């Protein structure tokens, strides 16, 4: 498939999570299009990190048929912990034969809507899909190139060894990183456990994709996110 919409991406991730599997590389698209809600959160994370040099993170969940993007979580200058809880409850409402469906994230109301009682599910499904975090531009992440980025004169960095190890150990299919661009990393059936004693300097894009067999995408914020060939 040449392109995934955000809806198609989450359906793919949800399906893989349900059967506890990883995709083949050929199952992934060449381009991924995200919606405005995702990009608005990603841009806010980028701007906050540029302002104070602290990492930010957010998570995406599938919650009873709805894509839920959490609020930003603030970390330190070299780390951020992604942790929150998402729940869905059906409460009685003022309208006969209708429930009030309430989604909460981190104890705060995320959304509310009325649902006809016959349409209420017997089992409420909440599933973590992926997380995205930022790296400050001053952090010693992995250099893609020693050539300054053409837009703002800064070097481009991507995933660190810590990022790769955490991602592999999480068992997730996908993770994201925001530097001055959006990077996505997919674990496939062929992906390898990171080599012990690997340094950030060794962890180039080519090494991640060719040696460790992960699939990477990148794109400008609010732009096209394209597979790294």
């Amino acid at each position: 498939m040449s392109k995934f919409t955000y809806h198609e991406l989450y359906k793919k991730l949800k399906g893989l999570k349900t059967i506890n599997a990883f995709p083949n590389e050929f199952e992934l698209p060449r381009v991924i299009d995200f919606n405005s809600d995702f990009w608005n959160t990603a841009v806010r994370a980028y701007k906050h990190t540029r302002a104070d040099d602290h990492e930010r993170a957010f998570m995406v969940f599938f919650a009873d048929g709805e894509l839920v993007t959490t609020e930003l979580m603030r970390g330190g200058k070299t780390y951020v912990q992604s942790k929150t809880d998402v729940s869905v409850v059906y409460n009685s409402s003022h309208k006969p034969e209708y429930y009030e469906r309430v989604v909460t994230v981190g104890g705060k109301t995320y959304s509310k809507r009325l649902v006809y009682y016959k349409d209420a599910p017997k089992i409420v499904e909440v599933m973590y899909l992926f997380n995205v975090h930022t790296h400050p531009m001053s952090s010693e992440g992995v250099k893609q190139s020693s050539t300054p980025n053409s837009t703002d004169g800064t070097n481009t960095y991507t995933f660190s060894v810590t990022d790769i190890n955490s991602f592999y150990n999480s068992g997730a299919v996908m993770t994201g990183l925001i530097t001055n661009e959006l990077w996505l990393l997919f674990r496939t059936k062929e992906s390898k456990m990171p080599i012990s004693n690997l340094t950030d300097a060794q962890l180039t894009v080519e090494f991640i994709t060719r040696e460790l067999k992960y699939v990477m995408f990148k794109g400008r914020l609010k732009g096209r996110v394209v597979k790294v060939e």
Side-chain angles (χ1 to χ4, degrees):
M1 185 176 291
S2 61
K3 183 169 73 173
F4 273 5
T5 63
Y6 194 20
H7 179 77
E8 289 167 332
L9 172 65
Y10 98 73
K11 284 180 64 178
K12 182 69 174 180
L13 293 175
K14 179 179 177 292
L16 291 165
K17 183 85 171 180
T18 300
I19 61 174
N20 195 29
F22 297 98
N24 293 296
E25 182 173 351
F26 66 78
E27 296 178 76
L28 300 174
R30 291 189 64 254
V31 178
I32 299 173
D33 285 338
F34 289 95
N35 64 15
S36 59
D37 288 341
F38 175 89
W39 280 127
N40 289 339
T41 305
V43 169
R44 283 195 296 112
Y46 168 77
K47 288 181 177 179
H48 282 302
T49 295
R50 288 299 298 268
D52 65 6
D53 253 8
H54 282 67
E55 294 191 11
R56 299 298 195 285
F58 63 92
M59 306 169 74
V60 178
F61 288 80
F62 173 85
D64 194 38
E66 181 177 356
L67 270 180
V68 173
T69 303
T70 68
E71 288 296 315
L72 297 179
M73 291 159 266
R74 184 176 187 265
K77 291 181 178 291
T78 59
Y79 70 94
V80 63
Q81 185 177 17
S82 301
K83 187 177 181 180
T84 193
D85 59 281
V86 176
S87 64
V88 181
V89 295
Y90 283 79
N91 299 322
S92 58
S93 75
H94 64 279
K95 190 174 182 180
E97 298 189 331
Y98 280 81
Y99 290 111
E100 182 180 53
R101 174 183 174 274
V102 182
V103 179
T104 60
V105 179
K108 297 180 180 179
T109 300
Y110 180 87
S111 66
K112 291 182 179 181
R113 67 181 174 89
L114 294 177
V115 176
Y116 185 52
Y117 80 99
K118 288 186 177 180
D119 295 330
K122 293 181 179 179
I123 299 176
V124 175
E125 188 176 23
V126 177
M127 183 183 295
Y128 164 74
L129 295 179
F130 65 95
N131 82 323
V132 180
H133 72 285
T134 64
H135 277 183
M137 296 307 295
S138 60
S139 70
E140 293 301 318
V142 179
K143 275 189 183 179
Q144 179 202 20
S145 168
S146 59
T147 304
N149 179 271
S150 59
T151 58
D152 58 14
T154 56
N155 288 338
T156 301
Y157 297 90
T158 184
F159 297 94
S160 67
V161 172
T162 299
D163 293 335
I164 299 288
N165 284 328
S166 297
F167 175 50
Y168 186 90
N169 292 330
S170 75
V173 174
M174 170 188 154
T175 189
L177 171 69
I178 298 167
T179 54
N180 56 330
E181 299 174 292
L182 174 66
W183 295 83
L184 302 178
L185 190 66
F186 284 83
R187 180 176 169 182
T188 69
K189 291 179 179 178
E190 295 77 31
S191 297
K192 302 176 183 177
M193 179 183 294
I195 300 168
S196 60
N197 300 319
L198 189 68
T199 66
D200 284 346
Q202 296 171 285
L203 198 59
T204 62
V205 171
E206 290 77 15
F207 188 87
I208 294 171
T209 56
R210 296 177 186 175
E211 298 298 324
L212 298 181
K213 303 296 183 182
Y214 290 85
V215 177
M216 296 184 73
F217 290 73
K218 74 168 184 173
R220 292 186 180 276
L221 299 181
K222 292 195 173 184
R224 299 182 76 208
V225 182
V226 181
K227 183 180 177 183
V228 177
E229 301 289 356

